[in-house]
Amino acid sequence: MFGFNMFHEITRPFNMTYRCFSVSMLPGNERQDVERGGKIIMPPSALEQLTRLNIEYPMIFKLTNKKTKRITHCGVLEFVADEGKVYLPHWMMANLVLEEGALIQIESVSLPVATFSKFQPLSEDFLDITNPKAVLENCLRNFSCLTTGDVIAIKYNSKVYELCVLETKPGNAVIIIECDMNVEFAPPVGYKEEEHISRGGEGGAGADGMDEDPASMMPEPSGFIVFGGEGNRLDGKKKKLISESDSDQQPSQSRQAYVRGIPDYDYVIGTLKFIRNSRPPSAKEEAPSEPFQAFKGEGFTLRTTKPKN
């Protein structure tokens, strides 16, 4: 009758002290997946102890540097470290002001689920990213939690960007696993809106300067020029650039000769131009033709001789 447990099992906190090292000191191949995220590598004995203590999942830990009183929060990636050692990302060691082999206290904690976070890039280069929210969302998949005041590092297009966590809600440390979190960005450190606007104004002034004919800005050709000479007609006459019909309509305007390689800057969209050589009519074409008359012409006499025997 009293065989079942009437009381919930009380969870006991995990509290241990380890010597911390950066991921670059981890034996084996280089672990870039650890550097890009917010999780650490712990020894196998920590997993056994966490299992006996009935720790809640996901496992979240508070890291404390007792000398500087700096704290942060993280998750765990693997339990493959040497006994008595833990391996942290470089940016996390910088936040805690830790040196290689320094002592660090690790304690299991329970954090609220994140609803809001605000980041401030530490470099104006972050503005070059087309969609920063999508990039941040993809990079935060390697994080388990966020702590206000931390400077996290994300990698995008082979470049590392540092972001300062200015604010998190509903607490100073929150879990970001399977949550709906609103994200905002503060202006980067050293960013001045006036300079940004002035740069945009200079670009606009440059666009107005395009009213000048681009052909006049082209450099003069030097050295050997392909087809740079003039052509000659076989009949000895000079080539005319204006046809008779064009000269009647626009006597004061002349059509510029077509030069290969230079585009037509006066082109009107929707029109087609066919470049042909206009030549004056020949003398034969100018003479009026007479109507055809049958058998009109000069005759001739055909003489034949008999063959000799």
Side-chain angles (χ1 to χ4, degrees):
M1 172 175 186
F2 299 98
F4 61 92
N5 188 4
M6 299 179 61
F7 303 96
H8 294 286
E9 185 177 356
I10 300 175
T11 58
R12 291 172 294 173
F14 174 86
N15 194 339
M16 294 290 294
T17 301
Y18 296 94
R19 292 197 176 274
C20 64
F21 297 88
S22 59
V23 181
S24 59
M25 304 294 291
L26 182 66
N29 298 329
E30 187 178 4
R31 298 293 301 271
Q32 289 293 336
D33 55 337
V34 184
E35 287 289 355
R36 291 195 298 263
K39 301 178 182 180
I40 65 175
I41 296 180
M42 302 178 68
S45 60
L47 177 60
E48 297 177 2
Q49 187 174 356
L50 289 168
T51 305
R52 292 196 303 267
L53 295 176
N54 193 22
I55 298 297
E56 297 181 0
Y57 290 87
M59 296 182 183
I60 303 297
F61 301 94
K62 181 176 73 172
L63 309 182
T64 305
N65 183 357
K66 292 185 177 180
K67 290 184 178 181
T68 60
K69 305 300 181 181
R70 300 289 295 271
I71 65 171
T72 188
H73 298 79
C74 68
V76 58
L77 183 63
E78 295 176 357
F79 295 90
V80 295
D82 297 334
E83 292 299 331
K85 298 180 181 179
V86 291
Y87 295 91
L88 282 64
H90 178 73
W91 66 265
M92 193 177 294
M93 294 191 66
N95 287 335
L96 296 173
V97 195
L98 289 170
E99 298 179 354
E100 300 289 343
L103 294 177
I104 185 174
Q105 182 181 1
I106 300 180
E107 180 183 359
S108 62
V109 294
S110 179
L111 301 178
V113 179
T115 58
F116 173 81
S117 61
K118 188 174 183 179
F119 299 88
Q120 182 183 29
L122 300 186
S123 174
E124 295 183 8
D125 296 339
F126 191 75
L127 299 176
D128 298 335
I129 301 178
T130 305
N131 192 346
K133 286 190 176 182
V135 173
L136 181 62
E137 179 182 358
N138 185 45
C139 295
L140 288 181
R141 294 177 182 177
N142 299 320
F143 289 74
S144 298
C145 54
L146 293 175
T147 305
T148 302
D150 278 359
V151 177
I152 65 174
I154 63 174
K155 189 174 182 180
Y156 177 70
N157 282 348
S158 302
K159 189 172 183 180
V160 178
Y161 299 91
E162 293 184 338
L163 303 175
C164 180
V165 184
L166 295 182
E167 184 181 359
T168 56
K169 292 180 181 180
N172 292 331
V174 291
I175 296 178
I176 59 173
I177 299 176
E178 297 181 358
C179 68
D180 188 7
M181 179 178 64
N182 296 323
V183 176
E184 289 186 3
F185 290 97
V189 176
Y191 173 79
K192 295 182 180 180
E193 188 174 359
E194 296 179 356
E195 294 182 0
H196 184 69
I197 295 175
S198 63
R199 291 178 184 176
E202 292 175 1
D208 296 339
M210 290 302 294
D211 294 340
E212 185 179 357
D213 186 8
S216 62
M217 297 185 291
M218 297 180 63
E220 293 293 335
S222 60
F224 175 72
I225 302 176
V226 182
F227 303 111
E230 297 181 355
N232 297 321
R233 295 175 55 128
L234 295 178
D235 55 5
K237 297 181 180 180
K238 294 183 178 180
K239 181 181 178 181
K240 292 184 178 181
L241 300 178
I242 305 176
S243 61
E244 294 182 358
S245 59
D246 294 339
S247 60
D248 295 340
Q249 297 176 1
Q250 299 178 354
S252 60
Q253 297 181 1
S254 61
R255 184 178 61 186
Q256 185 178 2
Y258 171 74
V259 180
R260 183 178 181 182
I262 299 180
D264 184 8
Y265 296 101
D266 298 329
Y267 171 74
V268 180
I269 298 177
T271 61
L272 293 176
K273 293 183 180 180
F274 299 93
I275 302 175
R276 297 186 179 91
N277 292 331
S278 58
R279 57 184 180 83
S282 61
K284 294 182 179 180
E285 295 178 354
E286 292 179 354
S289 59
E290 298 180 358
F292 173 74
Q293 296 182 5
F295 305 104
K296 180 181 179 181
E298 298 180 355
F300 61 93
T301 304
L302 178 63
R303 296 181 181 180
T304 57
T305 57
K306 294 181 179 180
K308 297 181 180 180
N309 294 332

